[in-house]
């Protein structure tokens, strides 16, 4: 039996404008869209520090609009409670206003038929709060589009997050 998904992709470009306000505008557009799951495969902080309060609020508004949010966990190879940015994502995920609608996506790697965390992927470590909102998907050497209309291999949690979104969409459609 062939399964046909009813999924629709709604791209929102956020690069090229500068500043965290660009992220706020993109998140507001996503909240108004018909999408049920939102993939964020970029760092939501131009400074690399904690989420800007306006971005934080826009993410809460996005969750409260009924969206499920998947954010790439980062590629520093450190625990999520290892820098200000990823710590702020874990804290956001546990904010009661998020209603359990935020998942952080890490990258897995396959070597000799065995799945492990990708060396570059941020990970939850022994922090139970981070473990509760974290999932992995393949993220190393993923066949992807490249600049100039070419294809090649890419690695990163930005490669993992769309796979998590795809799995969530299939589950939502099935149940």
């Amino acid at each position: 039996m062939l399964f046909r998904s009813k999924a629709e992709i709604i791209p929102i470009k956020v690069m090229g404008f500068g500043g965290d306000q660009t992220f706020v505008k993109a998140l507001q557009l996503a909240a108004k869209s018909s999408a049920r799951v939102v993939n964020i495969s970029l760092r939501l902080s131009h400074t690399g520090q904690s989420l800007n309060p306006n971005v934080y609020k826009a993410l809460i508004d996005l969750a409260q609009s009924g969206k499920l949010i998947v954010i790439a966990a980062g590629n520093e190879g450190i625990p999520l409670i290892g820098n200000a940015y990823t710590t702020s994502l874990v804290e956001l995920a546990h904010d009661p206003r998020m209603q359990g609608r935020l998942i952080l996506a890490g990258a897995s790697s396959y070597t000799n038929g065995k799945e492990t965390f990708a060396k570059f992927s941020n990970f939850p470590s022994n922090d139970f709060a981070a473990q509760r909102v974290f999932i992995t998907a393949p993220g190393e050497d993923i066949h992807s589009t490249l600049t100039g209309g070419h294809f090649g291999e890419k690695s990163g949690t930005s490669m993992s997050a769309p796979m998590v979104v795809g799995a969530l969409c299939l589950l939502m459609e099935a149940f």
Side-chain angles (χ1 to χ4, degrees):
M1 175 179 184
L2 181 62
F3 180 77
R4 290 191 174 265
S5 175
K6 298 173 192 159
E8 177 183 357
I9 296 173
I10 305 167
I12 299 172
K13 183 177 180 177
V14 296
M15 304 312 281
F17 298 107
D20 288 333
Q21 194 58 30
T22 300
F23 299 138
V24 171
K25 290 177 184 176
L27 294 167
Q28 290 169 339
L29 282 172
K32 294 175 186 172
S33 77
S34 61
R36 293 173 61 198
V37 182
V38 176
N39 173 52
I40 301 173
S41 288
L42 54 86
R43 183 177 292 269
L44 286 171
S45 170
H46 275 89
T47 66
Q49 298 302 310
S50 298
L51 289 170
N52 171 296
N54 294 329
V55 174
Y56 191 98
K57 182 185 179 315
L59 285 162
I60 287 179
D61 292 344
L62 183 61
Q64 291 182 340
S65 75
K67 312 301 186 204
L68 184 58
I69 306 162
V70 176
I71 300 178
N75 303 314
E76 293 85 20
I78 61 172
L80 290 170
I81 308 297
N83 69 37
Y85 174 69
T86 53
T87 298
S88 69
L89 291 177
V90 172
E91 290 169 356
L92 172 68
H94 288 88
D95 186 311
R97 297 172 293 171
M98 286 302 291
Q99 305 167 346
R101 294 182 175 272
L102 175 60
I103 297 171
L104 300 177
S108 63
S109 176
Y110 290 92
T111 306
N112 299 326
K114 186 175 181 179
E115 181 180 18
T116 60
F117 276 118
K119 291 178 183 174
F120 56 81
S121 180
N122 291 350
F123 55 93
S125 188
N126 293 328
D127 185 87
F128 181 69
Q131 291 173 3
R132 291 185 52 208
V133 297
F134 185 82
I135 190 168
T136 61
E140 188 166 25
D141 298 329
I142 304 299
H143 195 67
S144 183
T145 56
L146 300 175
T147 304
H150 298 67
F151 293 91
E153 307 300 312
K154 286 182 153 183
S155 297
T157 58
S158 291
M159 298 288 103
S160 304
M163 293 192 195
V164 171
V165 167
L168 290 171
C169 288
L170 289 172
L171 287 169
M172 291 170 74
E173 195 167 305
F175 299 101

